[in-house]
Amino acid sequence: MSVLRPLDKLPSLNTATILLVGTEDALLQQLADSMLKEDCASELKVHLAKSLPLPSSVNRPRIDLIVFVVNLHSKYSLQNTEESLHHVDASFFLGKVCFLATGAGRESHCSIHRHTVVRLAHSYQSPLLYCDLEKQGRGSCQAQLKRCCLQEPQLPIPR
Amino acid sequence: MDETVAEFIKRTILKITMNELITILKAWDFLSESQLQTINFRQRKESVVQHLVRLCEEKHASLNDAALLDIIYTQFHQHQKVWDVFQMSKGPGEDVDLFDIKQFKNSFKKILQRALKNSAQETKENAVWFESAWGNSNSQTCILTQTSRTPSSAPPARARTLWGQALTVASKHHQIVKMDLRSRYLDSLKAIVFKQYQTFETHNSTTPLQERNLGLDINMDSRIIHENIVEKERVQQITQETFGDYPQPQLEFAQYKLETKFKSDLNRSILAEREEPLRCLIKFSSPHLLEALKSLAPAGIADAPLSPLLTCIPNKRMNYFKIRDK
């Protein structure tokens, strides 16, 4: 059983790696695209995964930030996130995990109460962001993510 | 030409929109080219209608011709009605005769005319369209295609038994049974009923299948890495095996009537203690239901493989299900 650990690899030079975990591939793709469009001090790589654990056969760089994407319209999405959380080492939650809830704008389609996700984020001591790719400009969403990732580094990223 | 026929033609033409009018009149083939050319279609609609009715009078349009016009209108507007499907079958031990369409028409007409005053029919492609008792709420259109399956628009119960009997007797079948399949799209119904959906062509081509292969596209950006490629390929393969490569026939809904006992993971839930089955109706609706179901797993909204209750719809030729405990 592979569990993600934050410090089991050396950091890559001037690179930050973000892992997006969520069931809806199209959504993850959109987020990744908009994140990469922004200017960034260091090089940014984005990994997309449907769920954890990740396949162990791949050689991948150290992951600096995990974003769990929950679609409030889909109970399946929440269930997937809750199961994936078991595969993350506890030390990741010291600032390297973030929750992103989408679809809050369309109340009538929400089958998960916002409070559920708030409680989830609270119990894992991690920030919760809201994002609605249809309504908001994508800029605001990934700007928040950037702040999360780059302003709270556990090790200084050499320039 | 008597009053009722004139009135009937007038009402039918009034239903037709101006841009369809010429096409429908040409398909009707009752008024000649030269007669049609005398009409100024840019006038107000009432004047055009009056002119047309006058021309029909000159040509002594009969009730049959008027009914034919109505059938053609229905053919153009098939999507406005919801069609039921009936299946006729021979009794055990009877052979399947060669179907003599002329004999069928005559005998069918006679049987109907004994009971209902008005009926008319027309043959188009491989199907025979019938219409009866128009103009009031009892009107019904029925299409007989190939052998033994008949889509027909929903008639009231009394008329239905009459139709059913007439059809069965005229075509020398033993019985007629209503199938649990309904839709607005005749082509899709035909494709499902005759199992021809592997080569099914839709009129409006939806987005090509390749665009729905989310995540399997070669990514333009090499900074985005997909971790679950193997899983995605598995989902893609299962979807392909279940639904095939071809565009799906078009249905608008699937309805499941549950009469099963409530099962719960939680112990001692109030509902689980009920002895009687829980009655529940689940309806899935969509502009294009089968394509939507096909895209559920690739989009990550559901696990693959999907429940067989959803995937068996074209196979079992049903979209109304009753589910009981075994």
Side-chain angles (χ1 to χ4, degrees), chain A residues 1-2 6 10 14 28 32-33 57 59 61-62 71 75-76 87 91 98 101 104-105 108 122 150 157:
Chain A
M1 259 300 106
S2 52
L10 292 175
N14 216 24
L28 297 187
D33 284 334
S57 52
N59 188 15
R62 188 180 83 164
N71 186 352
K75 284 204 172 96
Y76 178 60
H87 298 279
S91 46
C98 160
S108 53
H122 187 75
L150 300 172
I157 298 175

Side-chain angles (χ1 to χ4, degrees), chain A residues 56-150:
Chain A
S56 49
S57 52
V58 178
N59 188 15
R60 71 178 65 82
R62 188 180 83 164
I63 293 174
D64 298 306
L65 176 70
I66 306 180
V67 183
F68 287 98
V69 181
V70 179
N71 186 352
L72 291 178
H73 300 178
S74 157
K75 284 204 172 96
Y76 178 60
S77 154
L78 178 66
Q79 192 186 351
N80 181 64
T81 302
E82 284 170 343
E83 283 166 4
S84 303
L85 281 164
H86 297 319
H87 298 279
V88 178
D89 186 59
S91 46
F92 241 116
F93 296 102
L94 299 171
K96 291 192 167 206
V97 171
C98 160
F99 292 90
L100 183 68
T102 63
R106 290 161 82 182
E107 283 283 345
S108 53
H109 289 246
C110 288
S111 54
I112 306 172
H113 202 277
R114 248 177 9 177
H115 208 65
T116 314
V117 198
V118 168
R119 252 198 339 240
L120 183 69
H122 187 75
S123 60
Y124 282 96
Q125 303 281 337
S126 298
L128 171 64
L129 303 174
Y130 291 95
C131 170
D132 214 326
L133 290 174
E134 293 161 1
K135 287 194 176 173
Q136 291 174 260
R138 298 177 190 175
S140 61
C141 166
Q142 27 94 345
Q144 295 176 61
L145 277 171
K146 276 296 165 45
R147 251 178 279 132
C148 245
C149 169
L150 300 172

